Amino acid sequence: MKTYQLVGIGNAVVDVISQADDNFLELMGIEKGIMQLIERDRGEVLYAAMEGRVQTPGGSVANTIAGAGALGLDAAFIGRVHDDALGRFYADAMNEDGVDFVNPPVPGGELPTSRSMIFVSPDGERSMNTYLGISSELSSKDVPNEVAGNSQIMFLEGYLFDKEKGKAAFLEAARDCHKGGGKTGIAISDPFCVERHRADFLLLIEHELDFVIGNEDEIKSLFETSDLEEALAKTAEICPLVVCTRSGDGVSILHDGARINVPVEKIVPVDATGAGDQFAAGFLYGMATGRDYETCAKIGNVCAREVISHIGPRPDTNVLELLREEGLV
């Protein structure tokens, strides 16, 4: 059985991206700058209203895995798609990107393939309207034991906590990964996701996970505090490695009682979509290849900087070359 350096489990979502100004967002009743879950009929209305659509395989952790695969890791993604046009597009695109899409599209699937309508404002903010579809039905049956058990690093997506079978799949995958000697972590995904599942998040982090990656708002939401330092300290008490991205203020890493702050080069984003996902891709690439945590964060920052310089949630240049130029690989 193949051993993977990195395996992700998450929502397999086709991203449909379009540029839109604030007037359009207001007209369509779209709340700017956040991710909203929507029903199928709402998704059809928004899709029809999009101009200049760009279609790409997405999903937070899927973007991370694709980014890490582009850097050269042996990577795989576990997600659930329907055997429809979008599902086949998604599976083929992941495989073409050099990432093994472990689950074949489901024939006769109970729901359509998931999609997210992303509206990018002139200031780079993205407003995401996501119809989860079949991806939210992922269960333990979709997670092959031999894949989870042969993973050097397993990365889980917090959004899948919305259903009990997703939580069960995470728990089993984490334990299989640990049995095989690997490390498991989670992308917190969204403060609202934490609010819905705070107790389960904290139990999983404390008892099953080796690392957590999240932004300031996500980390603070774990302990219902507006004080980032308090939230970081409490998270570090229950998890060996905490990685917090703080936008233009850089990255804070807490590990074994030590703290590392890594600055970031500030640039004006063209599209902030995928910044956190690609930071995680770079950080996990660094972990998988034996770099120290400061270097991991620097690699993550380069990956994030590249993705916010253009439209779309995945790199469109050779990021490995950028890392060589920075002396990081």
Side-chain angles (χ1 to χ4, degrees):
M1 179 61 201
K2 182 175 181 178
T3 297
Y4 290 102
Q5 292 172 289
L6 178 64
V7 174
I9 303 178
N11 280 308
V13 183
V14 177
D15 284 340
V16 186
I17 304 168
S18 177
Q19 293 182 300
D21 60 23
D22 290 354
N23 289 333
F24 176 87
L25 298 182
E26 183 177 353
L27 176 66
M28 300 301 295
I30 298 169
E31 190 168 348
K32 184 176 179 179
I34 69 166
M35 194 285 287
Q36 291 181 304
L37 296 178
I38 59 174
E39 297 300 323
R40 187 174 179 177
D41 55 351
R42 169 71 168 164
E44 291 174 353
V45 169
L46 293 181
Y47 184 85
M50 301 179 88
E51 295 183 357
R53 294 185 292 254
V54 176
Q55 183 172 291
T56 179
S60 175
V61 164
N63 289 336
T64 293
I65 302 306
L71 292 173
L73 291 190
D74 286 326
F77 179 69
I78 296 170
R80 189 172 176 85
V81 298
H82 190 181
D83 188 13
D84 54 18
L86 282 179
R88 291 188 292 273
F89 162 79
Y90 191 97
D92 290 345
M94 290 294 284
N95 288 323
E96 288 168 5
D97 284 344
V99 173
D100 287 351
F101 188 72
V102 173
N103 311 75
V106 179
E110 61 275 23
L111 293 168
T113 294
S114 310
R115 72 289 310 266
S116 181
M117 278 62 69
I118 303 172
F119 297 90
V120 182
S121 305
D123 60 3
E125 276 288 350
R126 78 268 193 242
S127 307
M128 304 172 68
N129 297 264
T130 302
Y131 167 62
L132 287 178
I134 197 174
S135 69
S136 63
E137 299 299 316
L138 184 138
S139 70
S140 299
K141 292 184 290 187
D142 297 303
V143 185
N145 292 341
E146 63 272 18
V147 175
N150 286 282
S151 306
Q152 181 180 336
I153 299 173
M154 175 78 71
F155 196 44
L156 311 174
E157 181 176 310
Y159 284 132
L160 280 176
F161 263 55
D162 276 318
K163 296 201 174 179
E164 290 299 322
K165 53 189 172 183
K167 297 176 189 176
F170 276 7
L171 189 60
E172 292 182 25
R175 291 176 177 173
D176 286 340
C177 181
H178 283 145
K179 286 177 185 176
K183 292 185 176 181
T184 305
I186 194 167
I188 297 176
S189 296
D190 189 289
F192 300 114
C193 189
V194 175
E195 289 173 12
R196 292 192 296 270
H197 310 289
R198 184 172 288 106
D200 287 330
F201 259 107
L202 292 175
L203 283 172
L204 185 76
I205 291 169
E206 182 171 7
H207 299 293
E208 307 291 346
L209 300 186
D210 303 291
F211 64 92
V212 170
I213 300 178
N215 63 30
E216 292 178 84
D217 291 335
E218 292 160 359
I219 296 291
K220 287 189 290 188
S221 69
L222 285 173
F223 292 97
E224 298 181 90
T225 177
S226 59
D227 186 334
L228 177 61
E229 295 305 316
E230 177 188 0
L232 286 171
K234 287 184 175 180
T235 309
E237 288 176 4
I238 63 172
C239 189
L241 174 62
V242 181
V243 183
C244 178
T245 57
R246 297 160 43 229
S247 299
D249 293 326
V251 182
S252 293
I253 303 163
L254 284 76
H255 175 66
D256 286 346
R259 177 168 177 164
I260 304 167
N261 292 315
V262 181
V264 63
E265 177 186 340
K266 295 182 181 181
I267 66 169
V268 177
V270 173
D271 174 14
T273 308
D277 303 338
Q278 293 309 317
F279 170 84
F283 194 94
L284 296 175
Y285 168 82
M287 283 180 60
T289 53
R291 268 73 174 185
D292 62 81
Y293 292 133
E294 181 175 2
T295 302
C296 290
K298 290 179 178 178
I299 293 172
N301 286 341
V302 171
C303 293
R305 185 179 69 212
E306 189 281 335
V307 82
I308 67 174
S309 69
H310 58 79
I311 297 291
R314 297 187 179 185
D316 68 358
T317 59
N318 188 329
V319 182
L320 205 55
E321 285 298 324
L322 299 178
L323 295 176
R324 290 193 182 102
E325 292 171 7
E326 298 274 348
L328 294 172
V329 297

